[in-house]
Every structure is written in C-alpha cells, then in structure tokens.
Amino acid sequence: QVQLVESGGGSVQPGGTLTLSCDASRYRNPGGCMGWFRQAPGKEREAVASIESIDVTKYADPVKGRFTISRDNAKTTMYLQMNMLKPEDTAMYYCAASPGRGYCHNLNLNALNTWGQGTLVTICS
C-alpha cells in the first residue's frame, strides 16, 4: 500500500519556482518527523529538508534560504516550496517519513523508513 504520494514536479527554467506536495493521509503518523530527499541521475540520495511534530524545520545547506518545507493544519499534506531553482536542483524528489526523530535531528537519511515513488524536477534553460 502506497502511504506517501508526491506531486507537483515538472520542468522550469533556472530562477523559477515549484511547489511539491505530499499526500500523507494514508501514513500512520503524518504528524511526526517527515521530510524530503532527492536523488539526481547517477548520484546518491541527498537530504533536503525535514519538519517535526511541532513544526520545527531543518534544511540542507544547498537549499537553505531557497526552499521552504511546511504542512497543512491537519498534517496530512506536506509541501516543499522551491524558489530560485538551479540546474543542480534537478532530481527525483521523494517525500519521506522517519519513525523517530533521526531525520529531523540531523537529516540522517538512514533514519527514513517510508517514502513515496517520487516526483521529477527538472531545471533547464
């Protein structure tokens, strides 16, 4: 059963904006530690951002000041607003969840145990 479903990916020019959404309504604990990671072609997974149950957020250095993670009041939908996009942001973006605080504490990818199928973001001129 698919528990996390991403949407909102697409192709934009450098400097553009995209907002990704994650439907977490089927996840058992959508109000817990969740976040986003990405994987570019031929590269390893890279942490992007996290959000905790009290809405404390954390960002990886490459996206600080450009990306914003949030979720709705019901905590069943999580968002990633991406501004000032760069070609190096091109990747498959995944919505993910951590059973504990691991990912929210230090963006430790190994703490994630659930993720969706991803949505592709392409930045090109």
Side-chain angles (χ1 to χ4, degrees):
Q1 181 184 4
V2 177
Q3 301 182 58
L4 300 172
V5 181
E6 304 91 341
S7 62
S11 181
V12 297
Q13 293 185 338
T17 296
L18 273 177
T19 298
L20 306 182
S21 299
C22 173
D23 178 358
S25 60
R26 286 181 288 276
Y27 182 64
R28 66 182 186 280
N29 184 25
C33 174
M34 297 187 66
W36 295 87
F37 70 91
R38 65 188 182 185
Q39 187 166 24
K43 295 188 177 181
E44 295 188 352
R45 296 185 307 165
E46 178 185 30
V48 173
S50 67
I51 185 165
E52 294 191 67
S53 57
I54 54 175
D55 289 346
V56 172
T57 59
K58 190 178 291 289
Y59 299 92
D61 286 344
V63 307
K64 278 181 182 176
R66 300 189 298 121
F67 290 12
T68 302
I69 188 171
S70 63
R71 51 189 170 191
D72 64 358
N73 289 336
K75 294 182 168 54
T76 56
T77 304
M78 184 173 64
Y79 305 97
L80 184 68
Q81 181 176 343
M82 306 184 294
N83 298 326
M84 296 181 288
L85 284 161
K86 304 175 181 180
E88 52 263 43
D89 294 319
T90 294
M92 188 74 81
Y93 283 72
Y94 297 87
C95 166
S98 172
R101 283 196 69 246
Y103 191 67
C104 290
H105 176 60
N106 59 3
L107 296 178
N108 178 7
L109 289 167
N110 293 325
L112 299 170
N113 70 345
T114 303
W115 50 88
Q117 294 179 318
T119 186
L120 182 62
V121 172
T122 304
I123 314 303
C124 60
S125 299

PDB file of all heavy atoms in Angstrom, residues 5 9 17 27 32-33 39 52 72 89 97 101 103:
ATOM      1  N   VAL A   5       2.416   9.975  -1.253  1.00  0.00           N
ATOM      2  CA  VAL A   5       2.269  10.239  -2.684  1.00  0.00           C
ATOM      3  C   VAL A   5       2.691  11.661  -2.992  1.00  0.00           C
ATOM      4  O   VAL A   5       2.074  12.617  -2.506  1.00  0.00           O
ATOM      5  CB  VAL A   5       0.819  10.002  -3.142  1.00  0.00           C
ATOM      6  CG1 VAL A   5       0.706  10.267  -4.643  1.00  0.00           C
ATOM      7  CG2 VAL A   5       0.357   8.590  -2.803  1.00  0.00           C
ATOM      8  N   GLY A   9       5.908  17.960  -9.431  1.00  0.00           N
ATOM      9  CA  GLY A   9       7.152  18.099 -10.168  1.00  0.00           C
ATOM     10  C   GLY A   9       6.915  18.623 -11.574  1.00  0.00           C
ATOM     11  O   GLY A   9       5.778  18.707 -12.046  1.00  0.00           O
ATOM     12  N   THR A  17      10.203  28.757  -9.843  1.00  0.00           N
ATOM     13  CA  THR A  17       9.626  28.258  -8.607  1.00  0.00           C
ATOM     14  C   THR A  17       8.751  27.045  -8.873  1.00  0.00           C
ATOM     15  O   THR A  17       8.041  26.993  -9.890  1.00  0.00           O
ATOM     16  CB  THR A  17       8.772  29.363  -7.949  1.00  0.00           C
ATOM     17  OG1 THR A  17       9.614  30.449  -7.575  1.00  0.00           O
ATOM     18  CG2 THR A  17       8.066  28.843  -6.710  1.00  0.00           C
ATOM     19  N   TYR A  27      -0.578   7.593   5.703  1.00  0.00           N
ATOM     20  CA  TYR A  27       0.550   7.231   6.565  1.00  0.00           C
ATOM     21  C   TYR A  27       0.070   7.203   7.992  1.00  0.00           C
ATOM     22  O   TYR A  27      -0.736   8.025   8.412  1.00  0.00           O
ATOM     23  CB  TYR A  27       1.685   8.237   6.380  1.00  0.00           C
ATOM     24  CG  TYR A  27       2.909   7.914   7.194  1.00  0.00           C
ATOM     25  CD1 TYR A  27       3.627   6.751   6.950  1.00  0.00           C
ATOM     26  CD2 TYR A  27       3.331   8.759   8.199  1.00  0.00           C
ATOM     27  CE1 TYR A  27       4.737   6.444   7.696  1.00  0.00           C
ATOM     28  CE2 TYR A  27       4.448   8.468   8.952  1.00  0.00           C
ATOM     29  CZ  TYR A  27       5.155   7.308   8.697  1.00  0.00           C
ATOM     30  OH  TYR A  27       6.257   6.997   9.441  1.00  0.00           O
ATOM     31  N   GLY A  32       4.256  13.257  12.596  1.00  0.00           N
ATOM     32  CA  GLY A  32       5.580  13.040  13.144  1.00  0.00           C
ATOM     33  C   GLY A  32       6.676  13.639  12.284  1.00  0.00           C
ATOM     34  O   GLY A  32       6.439  14.553  11.497  1.00  0.00           O
ATOM     35  N   CYS A  33       7.875  13.096  12.432  1.00  0.00           N
ATOM     36  CA  CYS A  33       9.025  13.589  11.668  1.00  0.00           C
ATOM     37  C   CYS A  33       8.904  13.164  10.201  1.00  0.00           C
ATOM     38  O   CYS A  33       8.862  11.976   9.902  1.00  0.00           O
ATOM     39  CB  CYS A  33      10.319  13.060  12.270  1.00  0.00           C
ATOM     40  SG  CYS A  33      11.780  13.466  11.300  1.00  0.00           S
ATOM     41  N   GLN A  39      17.265  12.632  -5.344  1.00  0.00           N
ATOM     42  CA  GLN A  39      18.312  11.836  -5.965  1.00  0.00           C
ATOM     43  C   GLN A  39      18.433  12.240  -7.418  1.00  0.00           C
ATOM     44  O   GLN A  39      17.479  12.079  -8.204  1.00  0.00           O
ATOM     45  CB  GLN A  39      18.030  10.347  -5.842  1.00  0.00           C
ATOM     46  CG  GLN A  39      19.173   9.480  -6.330  1.00  0.00           C
ATOM     47  CD  GLN A  39      19.048   8.035  -5.899  1.00  0.00           C
ATOM     48  OE1 GLN A  39      17.977   7.537  -5.630  1.00  0.00           O
ATOM     49  NE2 GLN A  39      20.192   7.347  -5.820  1.00  0.00           N
ATOM     50  N   GLU A  52       9.254  18.610  11.999  1.00  0.00           N
ATOM     51  CA  GLU A  52       8.877  17.796  13.148  1.00  0.00           C
ATOM     52  C   GLU A  52       7.448  18.062  13.570  1.00  0.00           C
ATOM     53  O   GLU A  52       6.781  18.960  13.088  1.00  0.00           O
ATOM     54  CB  GLU A  52       9.811  18.088  14.326  1.00  0.00           C
ATOM     55  CG  GLU A  52      11.218  17.676  14.119  1.00  0.00           C
ATOM     56  CD  GLU A  52      12.026  17.731  15.390  1.00  0.00           C
ATOM     57  OE1 GLU A  52      11.760  16.940  16.299  1.00  0.00           O
ATOM     58  OE2 GLU A  52      12.933  18.580  15.461  1.00  0.00           O
ATOM     59  N   ASP A  72       0.005  21.240   6.164  1.00  0.00           N
ATOM     60  CA  ASP A  72      -1.271  21.852   6.495  1.00  0.00           C
ATOM     61  C   ASP A  72      -1.630  21.561   7.951  1.00  0.00           C
ATOM     62  O   ASP A  72      -0.977  20.757   8.624  1.00  0.00           O
ATOM     63  CB  ASP A  72      -2.372  21.372   5.544  1.00  0.00           C
ATOM     64  CG  ASP A  72      -2.664  19.891   5.646  1.00  0.00           C
ATOM     65  OD1 ASP A  72      -1.982  19.182   6.440  1.00  0.00           O
ATOM     66  OD2 ASP A  72      -3.571  19.429   4.957  1.00  0.00           O
ATOM     67  N   ASP A  89      19.547  21.543  -8.896  1.00  0.00           N
ATOM     68  CA  ASP A  89      18.396  21.047  -8.151  1.00  0.00           C
ATOM     69  C   ASP A  89      17.646  19.953  -8.920  1.00  0.00           C
ATOM     70  O   ASP A  89      16.722  19.341  -8.379  1.00  0.00           O
ATOM     71  CB  ASP A  89      17.417  22.183  -7.842  1.00  0.00           C
ATOM     72  CG  ASP A  89      17.990  23.211  -6.888  1.00  0.00           C
ATOM     73  OD1 ASP A  89      18.665  22.808  -5.913  1.00  0.00           O
ATOM     74  OD2 ASP A  89      17.769  24.409  -7.129  1.00  0.00           O
ATOM     75  N   ALA A  97       9.272   9.650   5.547  1.00  0.00           N
ATOM     76  CA  ALA A  97       8.926   9.703   6.967  1.00  0.00           C
ATOM     77  C   ALA A  97       9.934   8.917   7.787  1.00  0.00           C
ATOM     78  O   ALA A  97      10.494   7.914   7.328  1.00  0.00           O
ATOM     79  CB  ALA A  97       7.524   9.149   7.181  1.00  0.00           C
ATOM     80  N   ARG A 101      13.051  10.601  15.620  1.00  0.00           N
ATOM     81  CA  ARG A 101      13.488  11.964  15.308  1.00  0.00           C
ATOM     82  C   ARG A 101      14.740  11.994  14.441  1.00  0.00           C
ATOM     83  O   ARG A 101      15.238  13.051  14.126  1.00  0.00           O
ATOM     84  CB  ARG A 101      13.775  12.718  16.599  1.00  0.00           C
ATOM     85  CG  ARG A 101      12.563  13.211  17.344  1.00  0.00           C
ATOM     86  CD  ARG A 101      12.977  14.256  18.371  1.00  0.00           C
ATOM     87  NE  ARG A 101      13.424  15.494  17.733  1.00  0.00           N
ATOM     88  CZ  ARG A 101      14.675  15.961  17.797  1.00  0.00           C
ATOM     89  NH1 ARG A 101      15.600  15.289  18.443  1.00  0.00           N
ATOM     90  NH2 ARG A 101      14.997  17.097  17.212  1.00  0.00           N
ATOM     91  N   TYR A 103      15.747  11.697  11.335  1.00  0.00           N
ATOM     92  CA  TYR A 103      15.884  12.575  10.164  1.00  0.00           C
ATOM     93  C   TYR A 103      15.709  14.026  10.558  1.00  0.00           C
ATOM     94  O   TYR A 103      16.384  14.909  10.021  1.00  0.00           O
ATOM     95  CB  TYR A 103      14.871  12.179   9.093  1.00  0.00           C
ATOM     96  CG  TYR A 103      15.130  12.858   7.766  1.00  0.00           C
ATOM     97  CD1 TYR A 103      16.268  12.564   7.027  1.00  0.00           C
ATOM     98  CD2 TYR A 103      14.227  13.786   7.258  1.00  0.00           C
ATOM     99  CE1 TYR A 103      16.508  13.191   5.815  1.00  0.00           C
ATOM    100  CE2 TYR A 103      14.464  14.408   6.043  1.00  0.00           C
ATOM    101  CZ  TYR A 103      15.605  14.109   5.318  1.00  0.00           C
ATOM    102  OH  TYR A 103      15.843  14.724   4.124  1.00  0.00           O
TER     103      TYR A 103
END
